[in-house]
Amino acid sequence: MSNKIKVEKPLVILHGDEMAQIAFERLLEQFVTSRLDIDLLEVDLSAEKRFITNGQVVLEAIDALIEHGVGIKNAGMTVNRSQLDELLAKYPDIKESELDKLATKSPNGAIRKGIGGNITREDIEFQNLTSVRPDWVDRDIEVDTMDSGGLDFSYSELSNATGVAKVMFVGSSGDPVELHRRTLKKGDPWMLANNSLEEVEAWAHRFFQRALDEKRDIYLGLKDTVVPGYDGVMRAAIEAIYESDYKDKVAAAGLEYHYELIDAQAARIVSNPPERALWGVPDNVSGMKLYKLVQQLKHYGLPERKANVSISRMSAGGGDQYGSYNTPAPEDGIIKVVVDGVEKHARMVKANDPILFMSNARDAIKDWVKQVFKDASINKKEVYFGLKREFVNYDEVYSSIILEIRKELAALDTPPPSFMIMRPSRQLSKMICDPPRWGLYPAQNLDGDIFSDISAALGGSLATASSVIKSKDGTLLYEAPHGTAHDLYLRYLETDGKEAHFNSSALIFAVANALEEMARREDNEALADYAQRLKAALIETVAQGTITGDLKGKTVDPASETVVDMYGFLDAIEANLNKS
């Protein structure tokens, strides 16, 4: 007779890519299938599988989650140009022009939108990890951002009726051409933004020349993978100028150039600041937040972090840049937004100017704010919203919904948690420089991405935070907030698997949290006990000083640390689990 714990319902498992996937497979074998009598409904979301199914496997994953209610997702990668070329060469019958965007993009956004879920991320409460506190006072780092274009110079309003919004373009032919359409409901916010490519290029020249004049290493951050027709256009223009006019000069001056996605770059720079740098963030909305944060860090430094940070990130409505239509202008002309045949806004653009149109669903915003207040009430947290409502009509709807839900809760004799509304730059500064004991920071998609990566890096590692996607209908998808660990995967391949380095903490917590939720739904005491013991074994392993390389020197007693590889870490956790 099997001594495995019986689990009645299936658990959805979404596989991913690279080193995270190597770890995930080992973890599932070591802590799930070997100990539980459970049906795993497994969906392969690897880059190759998404490519050969033209993204259909992502839709299968969404259907499985909606049907079964609880899942675990591993990190999946966005396919870059060289990887896409390799796949096209491997599968010559597949035509690039016929590929759905789900075939090459990270599946994360589509899954969140498909299940109508928002993200909540929180530090794992390790007992003996110290927060990262680099010496920031008087650090010689400057943030350089554009003073024009982008969301700060956008047009936004609330739809006054349910209807169809169309993005129209009028070029040299004089005939309006429809570029994009989407349905809006009454009260939904929408926004049109663009940037002048000429101004982007002028900024790039000033940026690189300033770095040379001031002898600073160069850092450039954008979100080109998620917003290819906007950030991607800016990156291409900036780097073309770097290659043609500045690369040799930078090398001759002994300086370095680094490009990285803005969320990962922000986490890296804040937690491990370079000695002397010019940090270019062309998007002025993100740029000004990071500029203000860096100024504060340089003056006051990083405080000791005594509280865990919780971040709620709205993604269900597909709002902000993540759910936008973004594209370079096809030629000189006029871009317009027309709602139900009525022209709402128009502006002149030039060929290749990046254009962005975004909207959000008021109903989804309301569901998210309810979720934020519910989580805060259950966990006794204070809520700090970040909104730019006095400048952007798009954000004003959030403010009105917050007050609306507060009144609804009061009418039910349910006291809402205490909350504040502040500008997003102040929200970021408070989270990093003045964190209260019990703080929950709700943010829109891109801000949430940047904020959560910074917070996790200051907590020790991206692998030391837990993450869950919660939907209105009760679907829960647990995940690790880190990526696929591409560099570690390359090393793993180069050494034929002899060097397997990866911190599986966040994946283990995702597994344990999912099992805990299934136990709650099935009233399964044995499963609940196992899930809690698995978490405790992870916490105890790190408390004993057995850690992976990313946590080296970050415990309260570095002298007693034992640094192990991925397999050694999992085996140590298993040993503690068996003891319990």
Side-chain angles (χ1 to χ4, degrees):
M1 183 177 176
S2 172
N3 60 357
K4 293 182 178 181
I5 298 169
K6 175 65 178 175
V7 184
E8 295 297 331
K9 295 183 179 179
L11 173 63
V12 178
I13 300 292
L14 307 184
H15 292 289
D17 291 293
E18 301 189 319
M19 202 63 212
Q21 182 59 24
I22 302 294
F24 195 41
E25 290 174 5
R26 173 63 178 261
L27 187 159
L28 289 173
E29 177 185 342
Q30 201 160 351
F31 297 108
V32 179
T33 55
S34 66
R35 294 172 177 266
L36 306 177
D37 181 2
I38 186 171
D39 179 17
L40 299 183
L41 200 162
E42 301 182 73
V43 182
D44 182 0
L45 289 182
S46 65
E48 186 166 1
K49 188 69 172 181
R50 284 182 277 124
F51 177 82
I52 62 177
T53 64
N54 200 19
Q56 286 301 303
V57 70
V58 179
L59 302 179
E60 292 174 17
I62 293 168
D63 290 342
L65 290 168
I66 292 172
E67 179 180 355
H68 299 288
V70 182
I72 305 167
K73 183 179 74 64
N74 198 11
M77 65 192 218
T78 296
V79 176
N80 63 29
R81 184 68 248 178
S82 63
Q83 292 163 336
L84 177 58
D85 288 341
E86 290 175 8
L87 288 169
L88 289 167
K90 185 175 181 180
Y91 299 97
D93 291 339
I94 296 177
K95 303 293 186 289
E96 182 177 356
S97 61
E98 298 174 1
L99 286 174
D100 188 280
K101 62 182 180 181
L102 292 178
T104 55
K105 288 183 65 175
S106 163
N108 296 351
I111 290 172
R112 293 168 195 154
K113 189 173 182 180
I115 66 173
N118 298 303
I119 307 169
T120 299
R121 290 182 175 172
E122 190 162 25
D123 299 337
I124 298 172
E125 295 191 27
F126 287 104
Q127 301 166 359
N128 65 323
L129 289 185
T130 60
S131 61
V132 176
R133 291 186 67 201
D135 183 10
W136 258 100
V137 175
D138 295 329
R139 181 71 66 162
D140 197 0
I141 297 172
E142 295 293 335
V143 177
D144 198 321
T145 189
M146 293 186 66
D147 57 8
S148 63
L151 273 60
D152 265 359
F153 293 83
S154 65
Y155 178 85
S156 65
E157 67 174 48
L158 305 183
S159 178
N160 56 17
T162 297
V164 176
K166 300 177 182 179
V167 179
M168 310 294 294
F169 181 78
V170 182
S172 57
S173 70
D175 296 323
V177 176
E178 182 181 319
L179 300 180
H180 175 73
R181 68 164 60 192
R182 60 178 65 182
T183 301
L184 299 176
K185 291 184 179 180
K186 185 176 182 179
D188 289 355
W190 62 265
M191 174 185 290
L192 178 70
N194 75 286
N195 220 325
S196 162
L197 199 61
E198 287 183 1
E199 292 182 9
V200 171
E201 291 169 340
W203 175 85
H205 282 290
R206 291 194 302 269
F207 171 65
F208 290 126
Q209 191 57 53
R210 179 183 175 188
L212 288 169
D213 293 343
E214 298 177 8
K215 295 182 172 54
R216 297 178 183 275
D217 287 331
I218 302 165
Y219 292 79
L220 177 68
L222 286 159
K223 196 68 176 177
D224 59 289
T225 54
V226 172
V227 204
Y230 198 80
D231 284 32
V233 172
M234 290 195 285
R235 179 190 176 184
I238 293 166
E239 291 196 325
I241 287 171
Y242 174 73
E243 291 288 334
S244 64
D245 295 1
Y246 295 97
K247 183 176 182 179
D248 293 342
K249 295 176 183 177
V250 168
L255 302 175
E256 296 181 355
Y257 168 77
H258 305 273
Y259 176 80
E260 199 168 7
L261 293 177
I262 186 58
D263 47 335
Q265 189 175 71
R268 193 182 307 279
I269 289 178
V270 174
S271 63
N272 187 24
E275 288 297 323
R276 182 174 171 83
L278 187 62
W279 186 7
V281 187
D283 167 32
N284 52 34
V285 174
S286 297
M288 285 309 300
K289 294 185 188 83
L290 295 170
Y291 171 82
K292 291 175 181 178
L293 176 64
V294 166
Q295 294 305 309
Q296 189 165 352
L297 292 174
K298 285 160 61 175
H299 188 72
Y300 297 106
L302 269 163
E304 184 177 354
R305 186 162 159 182
K306 298 180 179 179
N308 291 335
V309 170
S310 300
I311 296 172
S312 181
R313 176 176 156 198
M314 185 188 179
S315 54
D320 81 16
Q321 294 94 316
Y322 278 66
S324 68
Y325 170 73
N326 51 90
T327 186
E331 58 175 320
D332 292 1
I334 302 171
I335 193 80
K336 299 182 177 186
V337 177
V338 177
V339 180
D340 277 356
V342 179
E343 182 180 308
K344 294 291 185 176
H345 181 71
R347 55 177 62 187
M348 303 290 294
V349 293
K350 293 185 177 181
N352 295 317
D353 283 356
I355 299 166
L356 181 144
F357 175 79
M358 67 189 200
S359 65
N360 214 326
R362 192 181 194 281
D363 290 344
I365 297 170
K366 189 169 183 177
D367 290 339
W368 175 59
V369 175
K370 283 182 178 178
Q371 179 182 304
V372 166
F373 278 168
K374 181 180 178 181
D375 288 351
S377 296
I378 291 172
N379 298 300
K380 296 179 171 59
K381 294 182 182 292
E382 298 173 337
V383 182
Y384 299 89
F385 287 98
L387 298 171
K388 209 165 186 179
R389 51 188 176 157
E390 65 270 49
F391 297 117
V392 183
N393 290 332
Y394 194 93
D395 278 12
E396 182 60 36
V397 68
Y398 289 83
S399 179
S400 64
I401 287 173
I402 290 167
L403 297 178
E404 184 179 318
I405 292 176
R406 184 171 180 267
K407 290 179 180 178
E408 290 178 6
L409 292 173
L412 296 170
D413 292 328
T414 304
S418 60
F419 70 94
M420 293 181 64
I421 299 176
M422 55 187 66
R423 291 190 184 181
S425 57
R426 178 72 187 102
Q427 182 192 35
L428 175 60
S429 293
K430 184 165 187 62
M431 186 185 79
I432 301 303
C433 301
D434 183 29
R437 181 64 186 170
W438 301 108
L440 174 61
Y441 301 88
Q444 295 182 54
N445 231 332
L446 181 56
D447 277 356
D449 212 350
I450 296 171
F451 293 7
S452 61
D453 277 15
I454 294 174
S455 176
L458 292 177
S461 165
L462 286 174
T464 59
S466 65
S467 182
V468 59
I469 301 171
K470 304 179 181 181
S471 73
K472 180 182 177 181
D473 67 2
T475 299
L476 294 172
L477 178 59
Y478 297 89
E479 61 175 356
H482 55 65
T484 60
H486 178 69
D487 292 347
L488 298 179
Y489 183 62
L490 292 180
R491 188 62 186 159
Y492 176 83
L493 295 178
E494 290 167 0
T495 61
D496 293 324
K498 293 183 178 63
E499 290 192 24
H501 299 290
F502 188 82
N503 185 343
S504 302
S505 296
L507 278 173
I508 289 172
F509 237 69
V511 168
N513 282 332
L515 295 177
E516 204 166 45
E517 174 61 20
M518 295 187 76
R520 186 190 68 78
R521 296 185 181 200
E522 296 181 12
D523 195 20
N524 188 331
E525 188 175 333
L527 182 60
D529 176 69
Y530 175 70
Q532 291 162 9
R533 289 192 297 112
L534 179 56
K535 288 183 185 179
L538 168 64
I539 302 295
E540 178 62 21
T541 299
V542 176
Q544 292 166 351
T546 303
I547 57 172
T548 47
D550 58 314
L551 298 180
K552 184 177 180 180
K554 297 176 182 177
T555 69
V556 295
D557 185 12
S560 67
E561 293 174 356
T562 302
V563 179
V564 295
D565 66 3
M566 179 186 78
Y567 299 117
F569 188 58
L570 293 175
D571 289 345
I573 294 168
E574 184 176 27
N576 280 319
L577 180 64
N578 290 335
K579 288 178 186 177
S580 69

